[in-house]
Amino acid sequence: MSRRIRVVTALTIVLGVLLLTAASVRGQAFWAKDTPKLPMATTWVAQKAKLPRYTPPRTPDGVPDLQGNWSGAGGDNNSFLEDHEYVDVTTPAQESFVSDPPDGKVPYTPWALAKRNEFLAGLARGWPGETGQRLHLSPGSFCLDGLPVFSFDPQEIIQRPGSVIMLSDDTYRIIPTDGRPAISQNAKFWFGNSRGRWDGDTLVVEVTSLNGKGWFDSTGHFYSENTRMVERWRLADTNTMDYELTIEDPTIYTRPWKINFPKRRAGTGPTGGPRGVTAASILPPLATKDPYASESWERACFEGNTESMRGMHSLGFKWFYGVTPPK
Amino acid sequence: MRRGFTGLIVGVAALCMLTSPPAVGQTPAPAPYTPPRTRDGHPDLQGVWQALNTAAWDLEDHAASLGVPAGLGVVQGGAIPYQPSALARKRENFAKRGTLDPERKCYLPSVPRITYMPHPFQIVQQADKVSVLYEYLNTVRYIHMNGNPHPEGPIDWFMGDSRGRWEGNTLVVDVIHFNDQTWFDRAGNFHSEALHVVERYTRTGPDHMLYEATIEDPKVFTRPWTISMPLYRRQERNVELLEYKCHAYLLEQEWDKPGFTLTEPH
């Protein structure tokens, strides 16, 4: 977590369109064109297969202790879910987040694939195949992250008897682990409704009641209000969290599919995100002289970006209301 | 130096409490209660809490109107001590509250307003911070307990910068670095960027907590003043913070309407 002082930015419309994505409102690196392709699911799956079995420490109430500050997925900041080549300084070449199917592609139904291509074509991000029509923007552009983007981003995990609490710099998740049932599926939320349980060394979180208005990335990979997600949080070693997400929705996907990547304990390893390399995570935390370095400071994302949102509206971008899959 | 100043304000507030009896119906002085302790040895304030009063509509005594329940004020001594010009602005705010209230813009509502919005919040304590997780806007407020002083300003945060300390069984939170874009309630009670809030959270029983906030703003008020109210632990076995993503609903409702605009900051 870096220190931030909120500045009321008067982003130009062009800057807003280029940069105001879920990724860019957080701090991010700039990438040279010759940066080697960043590792994600494929590399991580191969790496973790070679790791010795790790037994996590336990909390006083006897469950695995996952507490601490965890980095985000790193790399292109959830810009593009699937394998891609270099696009621009914010979007280096990167492997797919998708670990299953093995080809790294989201297994959309034909209807959903057409929808996804429609979203991609209407972006204003410089992706191959864009029409130049500025039609579609990620919900993150409106400071509206839901799941699973929250989990892809950095967070602190705190455990209390009967619940796991996750804190980011501006919001939170509270995951009951006390066995209570999920709420009605008629009530839908950006974050859905989370229910956790411990399966051996793994925190398993079932997420239902999703409103289907969020994206997986900022370039149109979507889910629906019928989607059910299951997260698996497990320590692969002291400083590496193995995060695996299973996504099920027969109305838009032909089969369940998985996302898998590591999250690094903050302050260990090289700066700028974990990018899959667990061996480096045994490095000691980086020293800093800034006494405020570990504090989260106000981001006021919406309050500071209403000007850009007005600009996006005037350019004709559409609001994403979620999809309505055919019956 | 800032600490000393805070002490002065708390002292003045305490003196006010001693010299003027509290208005009828206001929160009684906390009965002696020994709260359970966290592992760090501090009073345990954790859990899901909610105010149960009409402060969100108006901090002062007020009559009912359409959709607004009548209510008794939470201001010690009854009235907010406005400077004359500020009182005129407050009356104008009230007259135009339908469009001017920052709540309608879905902005972060500042402290103490967020405490008595009609939504629950959850307190989570750690050694270096007390985190307050609000259902309203699903925002989180970090009260830093790490010994760092307020960072150097000027900083114009909506929620201010919160630094906490323990005084006996009370969590005392000093909050500065606000902007002037938030109000105290839906009745137009307002402040400037010079706002300084000292909050006090004191457990008074297994399921009750006394919340006090002393408000100082030399640009708007003639003297510091204090609000006081009980907070109640939510009793439902299945209580759970849900979602209130205000600006999501606002944008979705307005985006496709002719004449779309997001309210300009005033």
Side-chain angles (χ1 to χ4, degrees):
Chain A
M1 292 183 226
S2 59
R3 68 184 282 190
R4 289 175 199 90
I5 295 182
R6 180 181 156 272
V7 182
V8 180
T9 46
L11 285 177
T12 65
I13 288 170
V14 171
L15 251 181
V17 168
L18 284 178
L19 292 180
L20 190 74
T21 65
S24 67
V25 293
R26 307 197 182 333
Q28 71 173 36
F30 289 86
W31 301 92
K33 194 162 192 174
D34 57 357
T35 307
K37 184 172 280 188
L38 299 175
M40 199 52 76
T42 304
T43 299
W44 172 239
V45 169
Q47 279 180 338
K48 75 175 182 181
K50 296 179 197 155
L51 290 176
R53 182 183 161 77
Y54 177 75
T55 303
R58 302 264 153 178
T59 65
D61 52 322
V63 299
D65 189 344
L66 310 181
Q67 297 178 100
N69 285 290
W70 297 98
S71 71
D76 74 359
N77 278 314
N78 315 338
S79 180
F80 199 81
L81 195 69
E82 295 178 343
D83 182 279
H84 62 87
E85 301 307 320
Y86 179 93
V87 176
D88 57 36
V89 291
T90 68
T91 314
Q94 183 171 283
E95 289 177 4
S96 178
F97 279 70
V98 179
S99 59
D100 180 38
D103 69 0
K105 302 276 191 192
V106 179
Y108 290 110
T109 63
W111 177 87
L113 183 61
K115 251 320 180 205
R116 185 267 175 288
N117 287 334
E118 179 192 318
F119 297 150
L120 184 62
L123 293 173
R125 290 289 306 282
W127 291 91
E130 285 181 14
T131 61
Q133 290 177 283
R134 293 162 172 163
L135 295 176
H136 301 293
L137 278 170
S138 113
S141 305
F142 302 98
C143 306
L144 281 170
D145 289 342
L147 285 187
V149 173
F150 177 92
S151 299
F152 294 1
D153 283 339
Q155 67 278 130
E156 178 177 9
I157 296 181
I158 300 168
Q159 290 170 230
R160 292 288 182 266
S163 71
V164 175
I165 296 153
M166 298 185 181
L167 304 174
S168 76
D169 58 1
D170 66 345
T171 191
Y172 59 86
R173 271 174 94 184
I174 303 165
I175 303 167
T177 54
D178 58 0
R180 69 179 69 188
I183 69 169
S184 164
Q185 297 308 294
N186 294 327
K188 301 286 190 183
F189 301 99
W190 287 86
F191 274 50
N193 186 241
S194 290
R195 293 292 180 256
R197 64 187 156 84
W198 297 97
D199 178 11
D201 292 339
T202 303
L203 171 66
V204 181
V205 186
E206 303 211 14
V207 186
T208 56
S209 284
L210 287 159
N211 69 4
K213 293 177 180 176
W215 287 3
F216 290 97
D217 59 12
S218 59
T219 52
H221 282 290
F222 67 97
Y223 54 92
S224 85
E225 63 173 14
N226 307 314
T227 302
R228 177 175 170 272
M229 300 185 188
V230 181
E231 297 178 295
R232 298 180 69 86
W233 302 74
R234 180 191 69 95
L235 287 178
D237 69 20
T238 308
N239 292 326
T240 309
M241 179 76 76
D242 179 21
Y243 177 81
E244 188 187 78
L245 176 69
T246 304
I247 303 105
E248 284 184 43
D249 185 344
T251 66
I252 53 171
Y253 311 123
T254 59
R255 49 166 283 193
W257 56 285
K258 290 183 182 182
I259 283 169
N260 191 196
F261 60 86
K263 296 168 74 79
R264 173 165 297 147
R265 195 179 290 279
T268 65
T271 55
R275 285 182 284 292
V277 187
T278 190
S281 75
I282 56 172
L283 291 172
L286 300 167
T288 175
K289 285 181 184 168
D290 179 357
Y292 297 100
S294 64
E295 296 184 1
S296 272
W297 285 7
E298 179 170 302
R299 198 150 69 85
C301 182
F302 172 64
E303 294 80 354
N305 285 296
T306 52
E307 192 64 40
S308 301
M309 292 179 200
R310 272 191 288 274
M312 291 186 273
H313 183 271
S314 70
L315 284 171
F317 283 102
K318 296 180 179 180
W319 184 257
F320 182 65
Y321 292 93
V323 298
T324 308
K327 297 280 178 192
Chain B
M1 191 164 139
R2 190 170 273 130
R3 287 278 152 78
F5 193 43
T6 303
L8 179 68
I9 290 163
V10 172
V12 168
L15 199 63
C16 292
M17 288 170 70
L18 284 174
T19 51
S20 58
V24 175
Q26 283 187 354
T27 314
Y33 173 74
T34 305
R37 304 269 153 180
T38 63
R39 209 169 292 137
D40 301 317
H42 296 299
D44 191 343
L45 312 182
Q46 297 179 108
V48 179
W49 303 92
Q50 192 165 340
L52 183 59
N53 57 39
T54 59
W57 284 277
D58 194 334
L59 291 178
E60 300 179 302
D61 291 349
H62 59 277
S65 58
L66 187 63
V68 180
L72 300 175
V74 295
V75 180
Q76 288 185 357
I80 298 172
Y82 280 104
Q83 296 171 15
S85 62
L87 186 60
R89 160 107 188 262
K90 187 268 169 179
R91 287 179 177 143
E92 189 187 344
N93 286 349
F94 181 81
K96 299 178 180 171
R97 63 193 184 283
T99 51
L100 289 186
D101 184 354
E103 182 189 353
R104 294 181 175 256
K105 302 176 193 171
C106 295
Y107 284 3
L108 289 162
S110 88
V111 176
R113 189 175 186 179
I114 198 165
T115 308
Y116 44 82
M117 292 301 286
H119 296 259
F121 58 88
Q122 182 164 341
I123 294 178
V124 179
Q125 288 170 238
Q126 294 168 279
D128 64 336
K129 63 180 182 290
V130 175
S131 305
V132 190
L133 287 54
Y134 299 97
E135 182 180 271
Y136 186 71
L137 306 189
N138 295 101
T139 194
V140 58
R141 173 178 164 214
Y142 295 113
I143 299 169
H144 300 289
M145 309 286 290
N146 54 15
N148 283 340
H150 288 295
E152 200 176 324
I155 304 175
D156 63 338
W157 279 325
F158 283 83
M159 298 293 286
D161 180 72
S162 297
R163 305 279 149 181
R165 65 182 188 277
W166 296 100
E167 276 183 14
N169 287 333
T170 300
L171 172 65
V172 182
V173 187
D174 194 273
V175 199
I176 60 167
H177 292 332
F178 289 99
N179 63 39
D180 63 356
Q181 297 188 40
T182 61
W183 287 4
F184 292 111
D185 56 21
R186 295 168 180 159
N189 287 307
F190 76 105
H191 59 83
S192 79
E193 76 289 345
L195 175 65
H196 174 198
V197 180
V198 179
E199 297 175 285
R200 299 174 64 85
Y201 297 81
T202 312
R203 287 275 302 267
T204 55
D207 299 318
H208 298 88
M209 183 151 63
L210 176 64
Y211 178 74
E212 299 161 291
T214 298
I215 290 148
E216 184 212 17
D217 186 338
K219 294 185 176 178
V220 178
F221 308 114
T222 59
R223 58 173 171 82
W225 50 284
T226 299
I227 62 170
S228 166
M229 65 185 71
L231 298 172
Y232 301 85
R233 186 190 298 281
R234 290 283 298 258
Q235 297 294 307
E236 299 88 335
R237 286 176 64 89
N238 64 342
V239 69
E240 165 173 25
L241 300 190
L242 297 171
E243 240 170 57
Y244 190 77
K245 290 191 185 294
C246 185
H247 81 271
Y249 319 139
L250 179 70
L251 286 166
E252 183 160 311
Q253 178 184 289
E254 299 298 320
W255 194 264
D256 288 329
K257 282 186 184 168
F260 166 87
T261 183
L262 292 170
T263 314
E264 299 275 355
H266 62 271

